[in-house]
Amino acid sequence: MPVKLAILFYTTYGTNHRMAEIADEAARATGAEVRLRKIAETAPASVVNGQEAWKAQVERMADIAEARPEDLDWADAYLFSAPTRFGAGPSQLRAFIDTLGPLWSQGKLADKAVSAMSSAQNVHGGQEATILGLYTTFLHWGSIIVAPGYTDPVLFKSGGNPYGYSHTQGAEFDEAARGAIAHQVRRLVKMAEKLAA
């Protein structure tokens, strides 16, 4: 049975959308069954529509299904990707996580492999804090955190974040960036396979 991977992302201007697409491609290449899901936008439409780049990104994602708790129940493993907001995950992602109480109380989030990625406007904009904050939540769930660590040379070429891939908004998704995301996803799928064995 192939690993069932839920890739859940929130994005404002498209950085984490692209990261999720790269992860989706890498996961499918391993033979995993993938659900790519966007986290619902909770900002008022007047705010979103007041910024052309944000509005355009919402339109680009119109055909991507919104994440639901059922996606996590279905999955063997999770990959979360979201930007940093003042050193933490965005409120949209936290609002989605708050809907997962019923799954958590039934133990349906436990013993599943999970990993996270993030981005920020600056190189040191809080990406690591955001990822570690998500990992705290995943520990409460009883999930098994699968960070990339320093398990492949590509991590050093892409910025050296052992907690999860992080991207600087506006930077190119070069070979090292795509390689680091792909490595993190392959490692996540591999650990999910081991947990299922």
Side-chain angles (χ1 to χ4, degrees), residues 104-141:
W104 167 77
S105 68
Q106 298 171 52
K108 292 187 174 183
L109 302 174
D111 303 325
K112 294 184 179 185
V114 62
S115 200
M117 305 184 295
S118 188
S119 68
Q121 182 177 359
N122 302 307
V123 175
H124 300 291
Q127 298 96 316
E128 290 182 356
T130 297
I131 292 169
L132 292 172
L134 285 170
Y135 287 172
T136 300
T137 298
F138 304 156
L139 289 168
H140 281 255
W141 293 351

PDB file of all heavy atoms in Angstrom, residues 104-141:
ATOM      1  N   TRP A 104      -7.910  14.738  17.372  1.00  0.00           N
ATOM      2  CA  TRP A 104      -6.907  14.589  18.430  1.00  0.00           C
ATOM      3  C   TRP A 104      -7.473  13.801  19.609  1.00  0.00           C
ATOM      4  O   TRP A 104      -6.820  12.884  20.119  1.00  0.00           O
ATOM      5  CB  TRP A 104      -6.425  15.968  18.882  1.00  0.00           C
ATOM      6  CG  TRP A 104      -5.652  15.920  20.157  1.00  0.00           C
ATOM      7  CD1 TRP A 104      -4.361  15.521  20.317  1.00  0.00           C
ATOM      8  CD2 TRP A 104      -6.129  16.234  21.455  1.00  0.00           C
ATOM      9  NE1 TRP A 104      -4.000  15.585  21.645  1.00  0.00           N
ATOM     10  CE2 TRP A 104      -5.083  16.022  22.364  1.00  0.00           C
ATOM     11  CE3 TRP A 104      -7.361  16.696  21.941  1.00  0.00           C
ATOM     12  CZ2 TRP A 104      -5.210  16.244  23.726  1.00  0.00           C
ATOM     13  CZ3 TRP A 104      -7.491  16.923  23.302  1.00  0.00           C
ATOM     14  CH2 TRP A 104      -6.422  16.699  24.173  1.00  0.00           C
ATOM     15  N   SER A 105      -8.694  14.125  20.034  1.00  0.00           N
ATOM     16  CA  SER A 105      -9.264  13.473  21.223  1.00  0.00           C
ATOM     17  C   SER A 105      -9.533  11.993  20.985  1.00  0.00           C
ATOM     18  O   SER A 105      -9.609  11.213  21.935  1.00  0.00           O
ATOM     19  CB  SER A 105     -10.547  14.181  21.668  1.00  0.00           C
ATOM     20  OG  SER A 105     -11.584  14.002  20.715  1.00  0.00           O
ATOM     21  N   GLN A 106      -9.644  11.602  19.723  1.00  0.00           N
ATOM     22  CA  GLN A 106      -9.841  10.190  19.378  1.00  0.00           C
ATOM     23  C   GLN A 106      -8.519   9.485  19.076  1.00  0.00           C
ATOM     24  O   GLN A 106      -8.519   8.306  18.715  1.00  0.00           O
ATOM     25  CB  GLN A 106     -10.766  10.072  18.160  1.00  0.00           C
ATOM     26  CG  GLN A 106     -12.163  10.616  18.381  1.00  0.00           C
ATOM     27  CD  GLN A 106     -12.932  10.675  17.080  1.00  0.00           C
ATOM     28  OE1 GLN A 106     -13.023   9.685  16.353  1.00  0.00           O
ATOM     29  NE2 GLN A 106     -13.485  11.836  16.759  1.00  0.00           N
ATOM     30  N   GLY A 107      -7.404  10.201  19.184  1.00  0.00           N
ATOM     31  CA  GLY A 107      -6.096   9.617  18.914  1.00  0.00           C
ATOM     32  C   GLY A 107      -5.797   9.422  17.441  1.00  0.00           C
ATOM     33  O   GLY A 107      -4.854   8.712  17.084  1.00  0.00           O
ATOM     34  N   LYS A 108      -6.553  10.083  16.562  1.00  0.00           N
ATOM     35  CA  LYS A 108      -6.402   9.849  15.127  1.00  0.00           C
ATOM     36  C   LYS A 108      -5.272  10.642  14.482  1.00  0.00           C
ATOM     37  O   LYS A 108      -5.004  10.469  13.297  1.00  0.00           O
ATOM     38  CB  LYS A 108      -7.728  10.123  14.414  1.00  0.00           C
ATOM     39  CG  LYS A 108      -8.794   9.102  14.769  1.00  0.00           C
ATOM     40  CD  LYS A 108     -10.033   9.285  13.947  1.00  0.00           C
ATOM     41  CE  LYS A 108     -11.025   8.171  14.222  1.00  0.00           C
ATOM     42  NZ  LYS A 108     -12.218   8.294  13.382  1.00  0.00           N
ATOM     43  N   LEU A 109      -4.610  11.506  15.254  1.00  0.00           N
ATOM     44  CA  LEU A 109      -3.444  12.236  14.743  1.00  0.00           C
ATOM     45  C   LEU A 109      -2.147  11.619  15.249  1.00  0.00           C
ATOM     46  O   LEU A 109      -1.062  11.974  14.781  1.00  0.00           O
ATOM     47  CB  LEU A 109      -3.515  13.710  15.158  1.00  0.00           C
ATOM     48  CG  LEU A 109      -4.756  14.482  14.702  1.00  0.00           C
ATOM     49  CD1 LEU A 109      -4.769  15.875  15.314  1.00  0.00           C
ATOM     50  CD2 LEU A 109      -4.815  14.562  13.189  1.00  0.00           C
ATOM     51  N   ALA A 110      -2.268  10.705  16.191  1.00  0.00           N
ATOM     52  CA  ALA A 110      -1.098  10.101  16.832  1.00  0.00           C
ATOM     53  C   ALA A 110      -0.438   9.065  15.932  1.00  0.00           C
ATOM     54  O   ALA A 110      -1.089   8.457  15.073  1.00  0.00           O
ATOM     55  CB  ALA A 110      -1.507   9.445  18.152  1.00  0.00           C
ATOM     56  N   ASP A 111       0.850   8.884  16.152  1.00  0.00           N
ATOM     57  CA  ASP A 111       1.636   7.834  15.508  1.00  0.00           C
ATOM     58  C   ASP A 111       1.712   7.987  13.992  1.00  0.00           C
ATOM     59  O   ASP A 111       1.955   7.016  13.284  1.00  0.00           O
ATOM     60  CB  ASP A 111       1.089   6.447  15.879  1.00  0.00           C
ATOM     61  CG  ASP A 111       1.070   6.222  17.375  1.00  0.00           C
ATOM     62  OD1 ASP A 111       1.991   6.719  18.063  1.00  0.00           O
ATOM     63  OD2 ASP A 111       0.131   5.575  17.871  1.00  0.00           O
ATOM     64  N   LYS A 112       1.523   9.194  13.498  1.00  0.00           N
ATOM     65  CA  LYS A 112       1.660   9.472  12.073  1.00  0.00           C
ATOM     66  C   LYS A 112       2.858  10.402  11.874  1.00  0.00           C
ATOM     67  O   LYS A 112       3.102  11.303  12.672  1.00  0.00           O
ATOM     68  CB  LYS A 112       0.392  10.110  11.517  1.00  0.00           C
ATOM     69  CG  LYS A 112      -0.815   9.169  11.550  1.00  0.00           C
ATOM     70  CD  LYS A 112      -2.008   9.809  10.893  1.00  0.00           C
ATOM     71  CE  LYS A 112      -3.213   8.875  10.906  1.00  0.00           C
ATOM     72  NZ  LYS A 112      -4.355   9.455  10.166  1.00  0.00           N
ATOM     73  N   ALA A 113       3.589  10.185  10.792  1.00  0.00           N
ATOM     74  CA  ALA A 113       4.768  11.002  10.485  1.00  0.00           C
ATOM     75  C   ALA A 113       4.335  12.394  10.041  1.00  0.00           C
ATOM     76  O   ALA A 113       3.354  12.554   9.314  1.00  0.00           O
ATOM     77  CB  ALA A 113       5.587  10.326   9.390  1.00  0.00           C
ATOM     78  N   VAL A 114       5.084  13.409  10.496  1.00  0.00           N
ATOM     79  CA  VAL A 114       4.748  14.791  10.147  1.00  0.00           C
ATOM     80  C   VAL A 114       6.024  15.605  10.005  1.00  0.00           C
ATOM     81  O   VAL A 114       7.023  15.349  10.669  1.00  0.00           O
ATOM     82  CB  VAL A 114       3.812  15.416  11.215  1.00  0.00           C
ATOM     83  CG1 VAL A 114       4.485  15.483  12.573  1.00  0.00           C
ATOM     84  CG2 VAL A 114       3.305  16.777  10.790  1.00  0.00           C
ATOM     85  N   SER A 115       5.972  16.586   9.111  1.00  0.00           N
ATOM     86  CA  SER A 115       7.095  17.486   8.912  1.00  0.00           C
ATOM     87  C   SER A 115       6.534  18.852   8.530  1.00  0.00           C
ATOM     88  O   SER A 115       5.345  18.977   8.218  1.00  0.00           O
ATOM     89  CB  SER A 115       8.023  16.948   7.815  1.00  0.00           C
ATOM     90  OG  SER A 115       9.305  17.520   7.905  1.00  0.00           O
ATOM     91  N   ALA A 116       7.399  19.881   8.558  1.00  0.00           N
ATOM     92  CA  ALA A 116       6.925  21.233   8.263  1.00  0.00           C
ATOM     93  C   ALA A 116       7.981  22.043   7.520  1.00  0.00           C
ATOM     94  O   ALA A 116       9.179  21.803   7.654  1.00  0.00           O
ATOM     95  CB  ALA A 116       6.538  21.950   9.561  1.00  0.00           C
ATOM     96  N   MET A 117       7.488  23.024   6.761  1.00  0.00           N
ATOM     97  CA  MET A 117       8.322  23.973   6.029  1.00  0.00           C
ATOM     98  C   MET A 117       7.763  25.367   6.271  1.00  0.00           C
ATOM     99  O   MET A 117       6.599  25.515   6.648  1.00  0.00           O
ATOM    100  CB  MET A 117       8.295  23.683   4.528  1.00  0.00           C
ATOM    101  CG  MET A 117       8.670  22.266   4.143  1.00  0.00           C
ATOM    102  SD  MET A 117       8.746  22.017   2.341  1.00  0.00           S
ATOM    103  CE  MET A 117       7.028  22.270   1.842  1.00  0.00           C
ATOM    104  N   SER A 118       8.591  26.381   6.021  1.00  0.00           N
ATOM    105  CA  SER A 118       8.126  27.746   6.229  1.00  0.00           C
ATOM    106  C   SER A 118       8.866  28.710   5.311  1.00  0.00           C
ATOM    107  O   SER A 118       9.805  28.335   4.610  1.00  0.00           O
ATOM    108  CB  SER A 118       8.311  28.161   7.694  1.00  0.00           C
ATOM    109  OG  SER A 118       7.704  29.415   7.932  1.00  0.00           O
ATOM    110  N   SER A 119       8.425  29.958   5.353  1.00  0.00           N
ATOM    111  CA  SER A 119       9.075  31.018   4.589  1.00  0.00           C
ATOM    112  C   SER A 119       8.904  32.328   5.339  1.00  0.00           C
ATOM    113  O   SER A 119       8.076  32.436   6.243  1.00  0.00           O
ATOM    114  CB  SER A 119       8.437  31.145   3.200  1.00  0.00           C
ATOM    115  OG  SER A 119       7.108  31.624   3.322  1.00  0.00           O
ATOM    116  N   ALA A 120       9.696  33.302   4.951  1.00  0.00           N
ATOM    117  CA  ALA A 120       9.572  34.656   5.498  1.00  0.00           C
ATOM    118  C   ALA A 120      10.170  35.632   4.504  1.00  0.00           C
ATOM    119  O   ALA A 120      10.865  35.240   3.568  1.00  0.00           O
ATOM    120  CB  ALA A 120      10.278  34.766   6.850  1.00  0.00           C
ATOM    121  N   GLN A 121       9.907  36.895   4.731  1.00  0.00           N
ATOM    122  CA  GLN A 121      10.416  37.931   3.844  1.00  0.00           C
ATOM    123  C   GLN A 121      11.930  38.048   3.934  1.00  0.00           C
ATOM    124  O   GLN A 121      12.588  38.378   2.958  1.00  0.00           O
ATOM    125  CB  GLN A 121       9.758  39.262   4.200  1.00  0.00           C
ATOM    126  CG  GLN A 121      10.175  40.402   3.304  1.00  0.00           C
ATOM    127  CD  GLN A 121       9.456  41.689   3.649  1.00  0.00           C
ATOM    128  OE1 GLN A 121       8.627  41.736   4.539  1.00  0.00           O
ATOM    129  NE2 GLN A 121       9.782  42.752   2.940  1.00  0.00           N
ATOM    130  N   ASN A 122      12.486  37.762   5.118  1.00  0.00           N
ATOM    131  CA  ASN A 122      13.920  37.914   5.346  1.00  0.00           C
ATOM    132  C   ASN A 122      14.567  36.562   5.639  1.00  0.00           C
ATOM    133  O   ASN A 122      13.898  35.632   6.087  1.00  0.00           O
ATOM    134  CB  ASN A 122      14.165  38.850   6.534  1.00  0.00           C
ATOM    135  CG  ASN A 122      13.533  40.199   6.321  1.00  0.00           C
ATOM    136  OD1 ASN A 122      13.762  40.840   5.303  1.00  0.00           O
ATOM    137  ND2 ASN A 122      12.714  40.622   7.256  1.00  0.00           N
ATOM    138  N   VAL A 123      15.858  36.488   5.445  1.00  0.00           N
ATOM    139  CA  VAL A 123      16.595  35.250   5.700  1.00  0.00           C
ATOM    140  C   VAL A 123      16.418  34.797   7.147  1.00  0.00           C
ATOM    141  O   VAL A 123      16.261  33.618   7.427  1.00  0.00           O
ATOM    142  CB  VAL A 123      18.099  35.441   5.369  1.00  0.00           C
ATOM    143  CG1 VAL A 123      18.896  34.202   5.752  1.00  0.00           C
ATOM    144  CG2 VAL A 123      18.270  35.745   3.887  1.00  0.00           C
ATOM    145  N   HIS A 124      16.427  35.744   8.072  1.00  0.00           N
ATOM    146  CA  HIS A 124      16.268  35.421   9.488  1.00  0.00           C
ATOM    147  C   HIS A 124      14.943  35.988   9.998  1.00  0.00           C
ATOM    148  O   HIS A 124      14.881  36.642  11.029  1.00  0.00           O
ATOM    149  CB  HIS A 124      17.448  35.970  10.298  1.00  0.00           C
ATOM    150  CG  HIS A 124      18.752  35.399   9.858  1.00  0.00           C
ATOM    151  ND1 HIS A 124      19.098  34.083  10.071  1.00  0.00           N
ATOM    152  CD2 HIS A 124      19.783  35.957   9.169  1.00  0.00           C
ATOM    153  CE1 HIS A 124      20.292  33.854   9.556  1.00  0.00           C
ATOM    154  NE2 HIS A 124      20.728  34.962   9.004  1.00  0.00           N
ATOM    155  N   GLY A 125      13.866  35.696   9.277  1.00  0.00           N
ATOM    156  CA  GLY A 125      12.563  36.272   9.583  1.00  0.00           C
ATOM    157  C   GLY A 125      11.687  35.454  10.505  1.00  0.00           C
ATOM    158  O   GLY A 125      10.506  35.742  10.638  1.00  0.00           O
ATOM    159  N   GLY A 126      12.250  34.403  11.112  1.00  0.00           N
ATOM    160  CA  GLY A 126      11.464  33.615  12.057  1.00  0.00           C
ATOM    161  C   GLY A 126      11.033  32.244  11.561  1.00  0.00           C
ATOM    162  O   GLY A 126      10.226  31.577  12.208  1.00  0.00           O
ATOM    163  N   GLN A 127      11.594  31.811  10.430  1.00  0.00           N
ATOM    164  CA  GLN A 127      11.187  30.516   9.874  1.00  0.00           C
ATOM    165  C   GLN A 127      11.410  29.368  10.846  1.00  0.00           C
ATOM    166  O   GLN A 127      10.542  28.502  10.999  1.00  0.00           O
ATOM    167  CB  GLN A 127      11.942  30.219   8.565  1.00  0.00           C
ATOM    168  CG  GLN A 127      11.700  31.191   7.447  1.00  0.00           C
ATOM    169  CD  GLN A 127      12.765  32.262   7.355  1.00  0.00           C
ATOM    170  OE1 GLN A 127      13.177  32.832   8.365  1.00  0.00           O
ATOM    171  NE2 GLN A 127      13.197  32.572   6.141  1.00  0.00           N
ATOM    172  N   GLU A 128      12.570  29.321  11.474  1.00  0.00           N
ATOM    173  CA  GLU A 128      12.860  28.213  12.391  1.00  0.00           C
ATOM    174  C   GLU A 128      11.898  28.228  13.575  1.00  0.00           C
ATOM    175  O   GLU A 128      11.412  27.176  13.998  1.00  0.00           O
ATOM    176  CB  GLU A 128      14.310  28.260  12.865  1.00  0.00           C
ATOM    177  CG  GLU A 128      15.294  27.916  11.762  1.00  0.00           C
ATOM    178  CD  GLU A 128      16.737  27.905  12.223  1.00  0.00           C
ATOM    179  OE1 GLU A 128      17.008  28.248  13.395  1.00  0.00           O
ATOM    180  OE2 GLU A 128      17.606  27.544  11.411  1.00  0.00           O
ATOM    181  N   ALA A 129      11.597  29.414  14.095  1.00  0.00           N
ATOM    182  CA  ALA A 129      10.647  29.515  15.212  1.00  0.00           C
ATOM    183  C   ALA A 129       9.267  29.026  14.784  1.00  0.00           C
ATOM    184  O   ALA A 129       8.566  28.361  15.557  1.00  0.00           O
ATOM    185  CB  ALA A 129      10.574  30.957  15.722  1.00  0.00           C
ATOM    186  N   THR A 130       8.886  29.344  13.555  1.00  0.00           N
ATOM    187  CA  THR A 130       7.584  28.899  13.053  1.00  0.00           C
ATOM    188  C   THR A 130       7.531  27.376  12.964  1.00  0.00           C
ATOM    189  O   THR A 130       6.566  26.751  13.410  1.00  0.00           O
ATOM    190  CB  THR A 130       7.303  29.531  11.679  1.00  0.00           C
ATOM    191  OG1 THR A 130       7.239  30.948  11.847  1.00  0.00           O
ATOM    192  CG2 THR A 130       6.005  29.028  11.076  1.00  0.00           C
ATOM    193  N   ILE A 131       8.557  26.783  12.405  1.00  0.00           N
ATOM    194  CA  ILE A 131       8.596  25.323  12.276  1.00  0.00           C
ATOM    195  C   ILE A 131       8.607  24.668  13.651  1.00  0.00           C
ATOM    196  O   ILE A 131       7.838  23.720  13.906  1.00  0.00           O
ATOM    197  CB  ILE A 131       9.814  24.886  11.430  1.00  0.00           C
ATOM    198  CG1 ILE A 131       9.632  25.327   9.970  1.00  0.00           C
ATOM    199  CG2 ILE A 131      10.020  23.369  11.515  1.00  0.00           C
ATOM    200  CD1 ILE A 131      10.875  25.181   9.115  1.00  0.00           C
ATOM    201  N   LEU A 132       9.442  25.175  14.551  1.00  0.00           N
ATOM    202  CA  LEU A 132       9.503  24.589  15.897  1.00  0.00           C
ATOM    203  C   LEU A 132       8.178  24.762  16.637  1.00  0.00           C
ATOM    204  O   LEU A 132       7.762  23.876  17.396  1.00  0.00           O
ATOM    205  CB  LEU A 132      10.659  25.192  16.681  1.00  0.00           C
ATOM    206  CG  LEU A 132      12.055  24.825  16.153  1.00  0.00           C
ATOM    207  CD1 LEU A 132      13.130  25.628  16.871  1.00  0.00           C
ATOM    208  CD2 LEU A 132      12.317  23.336  16.274  1.00  0.00           C
ATOM    209  N   GLY A 133       7.496  25.873  16.414  1.00  0.00           N
ATOM    210  CA  GLY A 133       6.181  26.069  17.016  1.00  0.00           C
ATOM    211  C   GLY A 133       5.170  25.044  16.514  1.00  0.00           C
ATOM    212  O   GLY A 133       4.360  24.514  17.286  1.00  0.00           O
ATOM    213  N   LEU A 134       5.224  24.745  15.230  1.00  0.00           N
ATOM    214  CA  LEU A 134       4.355  23.701  14.686  1.00  0.00           C
ATOM    215  C   LEU A 134       4.714  22.347  15.290  1.00  0.00           C
ATOM    216  O   LEU A 134       3.825  21.551  15.628  1.00  0.00           O
ATOM    217  CB  LEU A 134       4.458  23.653  13.165  1.00  0.00           C
ATOM    218  CG  LEU A 134       3.744  24.784  12.427  1.00  0.00           C
ATOM    219  CD1 LEU A 134       4.112  24.773  10.948  1.00  0.00           C
ATOM    220  CD2 LEU A 134       2.243  24.684  12.614  1.00  0.00           C
ATOM    221  N   TYR A 135       5.996  22.090  15.446  1.00  0.00           N
ATOM    222  CA  TYR A 135       6.411  20.814  16.024  1.00  0.00           C
ATOM    223  C   TYR A 135       5.892  20.652  17.453  1.00  0.00           C
ATOM    224  O   TYR A 135       5.564  19.540  17.877  1.00  0.00           O
ATOM    225  CB  TYR A 135       7.931  20.664  15.961  1.00  0.00           C
ATOM    226  CG  TYR A 135       8.469  20.393  14.559  1.00  0.00           C
ATOM    227  CD1 TYR A 135       9.828  20.399  14.314  1.00  0.00           C
ATOM    228  CD2 TYR A 135       7.623  20.129  13.490  1.00  0.00           C
ATOM    229  CE1 TYR A 135      10.341  20.147  13.040  1.00  0.00           C
ATOM    230  CE2 TYR A 135       8.116  19.884  12.224  1.00  0.00           C
ATOM    231  CZ  TYR A 135       9.480  19.895  11.997  1.00  0.00           C
ATOM    232  OH  TYR A 135       9.975  19.641  10.745  1.00  0.00           O
ATOM    233  N   THR A 136       5.793  21.741  18.202  1.00  0.00           N
ATOM    234  CA  THR A 136       5.209  21.667  19.546  1.00  0.00           C
ATOM    235  C   THR A 136       3.766  21.170  19.457  1.00  0.00           C
ATOM    236  O   THR A 136       3.346  20.301  20.232  1.00  0.00           O
ATOM    237  CB  THR A 136       5.271  23.042  20.241  1.00  0.00           C
ATOM    238  OG1 THR A 136       6.634  23.447  20.353  1.00  0.00           O
ATOM    239  CG2 THR A 136       4.644  22.997  21.616  1.00  0.00           C
ATOM    240  N   THR A 137       3.016  21.703  18.517  1.00  0.00           N
ATOM    241  CA  THR A 137       1.640  21.241  18.309  1.00  0.00           C
ATOM    242  C   THR A 137       1.617  19.760  17.946  1.00  0.00           C
ATOM    243  O   THR A 137       0.823  18.987  18.488  1.00  0.00           O
ATOM    244  CB  THR A 137       0.962  22.072  17.203  1.00  0.00           C
ATOM    245  OG1 THR A 137       0.893  23.436  17.620  1.00  0.00           O
ATOM    246  CG2 THR A 137      -0.431  21.557  16.890  1.00  0.00           C
ATOM    247  N   PHE A 138       2.506  19.362  17.047  1.00  0.00           N
ATOM    248  CA  PHE A 138       2.521  17.963  16.604  1.00  0.00           C
ATOM    249  C   PHE A 138       2.884  17.019  17.747  1.00  0.00           C
ATOM    250  O   PHE A 138       2.403  15.883  17.797  1.00  0.00           O
ATOM    251  CB  PHE A 138       3.498  17.775  15.440  1.00  0.00           C
ATOM    252  CG  PHE A 138       3.250  18.676  14.250  1.00  0.00           C
ATOM    253  CD1 PHE A 138       4.281  18.980  13.381  1.00  0.00           C
ATOM    254  CD2 PHE A 138       1.995  19.223  13.996  1.00  0.00           C
ATOM    255  CE1 PHE A 138       4.077  19.801  12.276  1.00  0.00           C
ATOM    256  CE2 PHE A 138       1.774  20.050  12.898  1.00  0.00           C
ATOM    257  CZ  PHE A 138       2.829  20.335  12.039  1.00  0.00           C
ATOM    258  N   LEU A 139       3.727  17.485  18.669  1.00  0.00           N
ATOM    259  CA  LEU A 139       4.044  16.674  19.846  1.00  0.00           C
ATOM    260  C   LEU A 139       2.800  16.463  20.706  1.00  0.00           C
ATOM    261  O   LEU A 139       2.583  15.374  21.241  1.00  0.00           O
ATOM    262  CB  LEU A 139       5.159  17.332  20.662  1.00  0.00           C
ATOM    263  CG  LEU A 139       6.548  17.299  20.025  1.00  0.00           C
ATOM    264  CD1 LEU A 139       7.497  18.215  20.779  1.00  0.00           C
ATOM    265  CD2 LEU A 139       7.096  15.887  19.967  1.00  0.00           C
ATOM    266  N   HIS A 140       1.980  17.478  20.835  1.00  0.00           N
ATOM    267  CA  HIS A 140       0.725  17.329  21.573  1.00  0.00           C
ATOM    268  C   HIS A 140      -0.183  16.302  20.906  1.00  0.00           C
ATOM    269  O   HIS A 140      -0.930  15.591  21.583  1.00  0.00           O
ATOM    270  CB  HIS A 140       0.000  18.672  21.692  1.00  0.00           C
ATOM    271  CG  HIS A 140       0.560  19.551  22.759  1.00  0.00           C
ATOM    272  ND1 HIS A 140      -0.060  19.752  23.964  1.00  0.00           N
ATOM    273  CD2 HIS A 140       1.706  20.282  22.799  1.00  0.00           C
ATOM    274  CE1 HIS A 140       0.665  20.570  24.715  1.00  0.00           C
ATOM    275  NE2 HIS A 140       1.747  20.905  24.019  1.00  0.00           N
ATOM    276  N   TRP A 141      -0.128  16.241  19.592  1.00  0.00           N
ATOM    277  CA  TRP A 141      -0.941  15.261  18.873  1.00  0.00           C
ATOM    278  C   TRP A 141      -0.435  13.832  19.068  1.00  0.00           C
ATOM    279  O   TRP A 141      -1.178  12.886  18.857  1.00  0.00           O
ATOM    280  CB  TRP A 141      -0.915  15.542  17.371  1.00  0.00           C
ATOM    281  CG  TRP A 141      -1.583  16.795  16.936  1.00  0.00           C
ATOM    282  CD1 TRP A 141      -2.361  17.650  17.674  1.00  0.00           C
ATOM    283  CD2 TRP A 141      -1.528  17.348  15.618  1.00  0.00           C
ATOM    284  NE1 TRP A 141      -2.787  18.691  16.897  1.00  0.00           N
ATOM    285  CE2 TRP A 141      -2.292  18.539  15.628  1.00  0.00           C
ATOM    286  CE3 TRP A 141      -0.912  16.959  14.438  1.00  0.00           C
ATOM    287  CZ2 TRP A 141      -2.460  19.334  14.495  1.00  0.00           C
ATOM    288  CZ3 TRP A 141      -1.074  17.741  13.321  1.00  0.00           C
ATOM    289  CH2 TRP A 141      -1.849  18.924  13.342  1.00  0.00           C
TER     290      TRP A 141
END
